[in-house]
Amino acid sequence: MQPLIDNARTFGQRPEEFARLAEGQSPQVLFITCSDSRVVPALITGARPGELFELRTAGNIVPPYASEHPTSEAATIEYAVEVLGVKDIVVCGHSHCGAVGALVRGDDLTAVPAVRDWLTHAAPRPSGAVEDPTVAEGVQNHVLTQVLRLRSYPFIDKKLADGQLSLHAWYYEVHTGCVLTHDASSDAFRAL
C-alpha cells in the first residue's frame, strides 16, 4: 500500500497538467471491462485522463436493460452515450478471468452469494474448454454476448441504426499484453 500512497502524495504536485480537466470531459470511447486489477484500460490503450469513460464490473458483464429497474451499469452506459456522446463502445474481456472461468467450469459459488447472483446476468453461460487456464474461448464468447446485450439497450440500438455509434469486442491476454479484436467477417478474434 505504501508505494500507492507515496505516488498519490506526489501526483497532485503537477496541477498545470490537470487544470484543463476541470473544464469537463469529452471522451470518445466507453470502455467496458472487468474489475480485475491486471486489466488497466489506460495502460492498454495509452489513454490520458479524460479520453476514456470506463465501466468496470466483475466479468465485464452488461446487465439486461430494464428501464423500470435501472442499474448503476445501465446508468453509466446511458450517460456515456446520451450525455457524453461517445462514438465507440469497447467491451474488453481478458484471459485468466476468474468470473468467466467460474461460469465455464460451473463452480459452486454459494460461499460468495453476491458474486453468484451477479454472474447470473452473464446468461447464457459461456462455453469454452474447462481445462484451459486462460479460458480464452469462454471469455471471447462471453464478450460477444455482452456486445449483443448492449444492442438491446434502446438508446444504443437507435445510435447504431443512425450510424452514430460503433461496438467493438476485444480480448486482452494478461500473460502477453496482446489485444485481439473480433473480426465480424471471419467471426474470429484477430490481433489489432
Side-chain angles (χ1 to χ4, degrees):
M1 182 70 181
Q2 193 58 48
L4 301 176
I5 292 170
D6 293 342
N7 190 67
R9 282 185 180 135
T10 61
F11 193 71
Q13 295 176 3
R14 304 179 308 242
E16 65 283 351
E17 292 179 35
F18 300 98
R20 69 170 181 79
L21 296 175
E23 298 168 14
Q25 61 175 325
S26 57
Q28 295 300 300
V29 178
L30 168 60
F31 199 91
I32 301 172
T33 195
C34 186
S35 304
D36 192 298
S37 63
R38 299 167 293 178
V39 180
V40 183
L43 186 63
I44 294 167
T45 63
R48 302 284 301 145
E51 293 180 344
L52 284 181
F53 199 68
E54 295 181 26
L55 172 59
R56 296 182 66 136
T57 68
N60 54 270
I61 292 173
V62 174
Y65 182 78
S67 61
E68 66 279 358
H69 300 289
T71 63
S72 169
E73 297 80 18
T76 299
I77 295 164
E78 181 180 67
Y79 188 81
V81 172
E82 298 288 41
V83 177
L84 297 176
V86 298
K87 302 294 181 210
D88 294 276
I89 300 176
V90 174
V91 177
C92 182
H94 67 94
S95 68
H96 303 86
C97 182
V100 175
L103 290 167
V104 167
R105 292 184 301 272
D107 291 353
D108 178 5
L109 300 174
T110 54
V112 283
V115 173
R116 178 198 61 217
D117 294 349
W118 172 250
L119 293 181
T120 62
H121 291 302
R125 185 173 138 189
S127 61
V130 173
E131 65 282 352
D132 177 10
T134 69
V135 288
E137 182 184 2
V139 171
Q140 291 172 7
N141 288 331
H142 174 70
V143 166
L144 294 174
T145 298
Q146 302 318 298
V147 168
L148 285 175
R149 176 83 47 76
L150 282 169
R151 291 178 174 276
S152 72
Y153 284 52
F155 54 91
I156 289 179
D157 185 52
K158 182 180 182 329
K159 297 271 187 183
L160 288 169
D162 293 344
Q164 298 175 345
L165 184 67
S166 296
L167 301 178
H168 310 272
W170 286 11
Y171 172 71
Y172 171 64
E173 292 181 337
V174 169
H175 55 292
T176 67
C178 290
V179 179
L180 308 177
T181 187
H182 184 257
D183 174 25
S185 64
S186 64
D187 193 25
F189 280 80
R190 309 234 184 263
L192 277 176

